[in-house]
Amino acid sequence: MAGGLEPHLEALRRELRDPAVLSVLVALIAVAITFLVWRFVQSRRSSRKAVLFLGLCDAGKTLLFARLLSGRYRDTQTSITDSSAVYRLSQDKSTNVTLIDLPGHESLRLQFLERFKAAARAIVFVVDSVAFQREVKDVAEFLYQVLVDSTVLRNAPALLIACNKQDVTMAKSAKLIQQQLEKELNTLRVTRSAAPTSLDGSATGGPAQLGKKGKDFDFSQLPMKVEFVECSARGSKGEEGEADLEGLEKWLVKVA
């Protein structure tokens, strides 16, 4: 039987020595590998169904979370644990994501991020647009910690900076908030990169470099897509009015 196969094997060897046949074979292998990698990435992404709500205390995360789920206003208080619920997208009732509201208190937020970050398809980072000028350094510090996290960098979940409380006259615009955050993050990056090393030679300033070395930081340098929206969990008429969540809702549809 081996003797009967020998002519066929010899013909195959001759074919493989033909440059044209070989180039076609290489192209087919490249396509197959690309397809397998794409399937692997898609399967990993589809297993991540959570949208994390992050931000400082009193930024309005919990009210945004409640408004998305029920549409109604409710009194909220500072969270000390996570809350989660399935959010069905209005344009497609068969599609849903899990919204997870994480505590914003300084002593809790990183440990809760650690617990849920691997499941994040997307992150909503909520900013208090009224208190922003006063809190910008704290906001940037927390956002920096999120952005240099190795799991977040590897999975690159979509990131939305939700500039909340736009119903208040003194609220800062999304454009100004973006500019100020880029400036503060750039300062943090310079400070952290200049931090002294520990005894084992590792840097103490942070696990990863933010943005591109040698260039001022901006959000386009990140591996994930970053967008800004203006929103209001209370609405212009306060407790009795409707929230302004149109930009946030459209973004959720897009990332689901």
Side-chain angles (χ1 to χ4, degrees):
M1 185 172 179
L5 288 174
E6 190 60 35
H8 299 288
L9 292 173
E10 183 57 34
L12 181 59
R13 292 189 193 101
R14 287 197 300 270
E15 289 286 344
L16 291 176
R17 284 195 289 267
D18 185 333
V21 174
L22 189 59
S23 63
V24 170
L25 183 60
V26 169
L28 288 173
I29 291 172
V31 169
I33 292 173
T34 302
F35 176 74
L36 290 173
V37 170
W38 178 82
R39 285 294 301 271
F40 174 73
V41 171
Q42 287 298 107
S43 65
R44 285 192 61 189
R45 185 176 184 274
S46 63
S47 67
R48 292 185 277 118
K49 296 285 287 182
V51 177
L52 308 185
F53 279 67
L54 310 178
L56 303 188
C57 287
D58 300 321
K61 302 184 310 302
T62 302
L63 184 54
L64 279 175
F65 174 82
R67 283 283 208 177
L68 283 169
L69 295 171
S70 69
R72 296 189 297 273
Y73 177 90
R74 78 173 195 194
D75 290 324
T76 62
Q77 56 188 10
T78 301
S79 304
I80 59 171
T81 187
D82 60 281
S83 299
S84 63
V86 174
Y87 175 69
R88 301 193 182 281
L89 301 166
S90 57
Q91 295 184 9
D92 183 359
K93 297 296 184 182
S94 65
T95 304
N96 61 74
V97 292
T98 301
L99 307 183
I100 306 179
D101 175 32
L102 303 185
H105 194 279
E106 186 177 3
S107 64
L108 297 172
R109 57 196 183 210
L110 289 181
Q111 73 183 61
F112 277 89
L113 175 63
E114 183 69 26
R115 184 183 305 176
F116 292 103
K117 63 186 181 182
R121 171 175 295 221
I123 294 173
V124 178
F125 193 96
V126 184
V127 174
D128 183 336
S129 303
V130 179
F132 177 74
Q133 209 66 53
R134 183 176 69 252
E135 297 179 341
V136 59
K137 292 186 183 300
D138 292 333
V139 172
E141 174 71 31
F142 183 24
L143 184 56
Y144 179 91
Q145 292 171 318
V146 174
L147 294 176
V148 298
D149 182 274
S150 58
T151 301
V152 174
L153 285 171
R154 182 175 64 251
N155 291 342
L159 174 63
L160 181 74
I161 310 295
C163 305
N164 192 26
K165 304 187 183 181
Q166 289 292 318
D167 54 293
V168 181
T169 305
M170 298 300 291
K172 300 297 183 288
S173 69
K175 184 66 176 176
L176 185 144
I177 289 172
Q178 178 178 348
Q179 292 171 345
Q180 287 291 100
L181 279 177
E182 286 177 339
K183 181 180 177 181
E184 288 294 331
L185 288 168
N186 189 62
T187 301
L188 275 171
R189 178 181 66 171
V190 172
T191 304
R192 297 301 174 87
S193 63
T197 55
S198 61
L199 292 177
D200 63 1
S202 61
T204 59
Q209 172 70 38
L210 188 69
K212 294 181 179 179
K213 191 173 182 179
K215 292 187 176 182
D216 287 342
F217 172 78
D218 66 68
F219 285 101
S220 67
Q221 298 167 3
L222 295 173
M224 69 281 288
K225 184 174 178 57
V226 183
E227 297 181 55
F228 284 72
V229 298
E230 296 180 352
C231 61
S232 172
R234 286 177 63 89
S236 58
K237 296 182 179 179
E239 299 178 14
E240 302 302 321
E242 292 186 2
D244 178 10
L245 305 180
E246 183 179 359
L248 175 55
E249 290 171 331
K250 286 182 178 179
W251 181 83
L252 286 169
V253 170
K254 187 163 53 175
V255 302

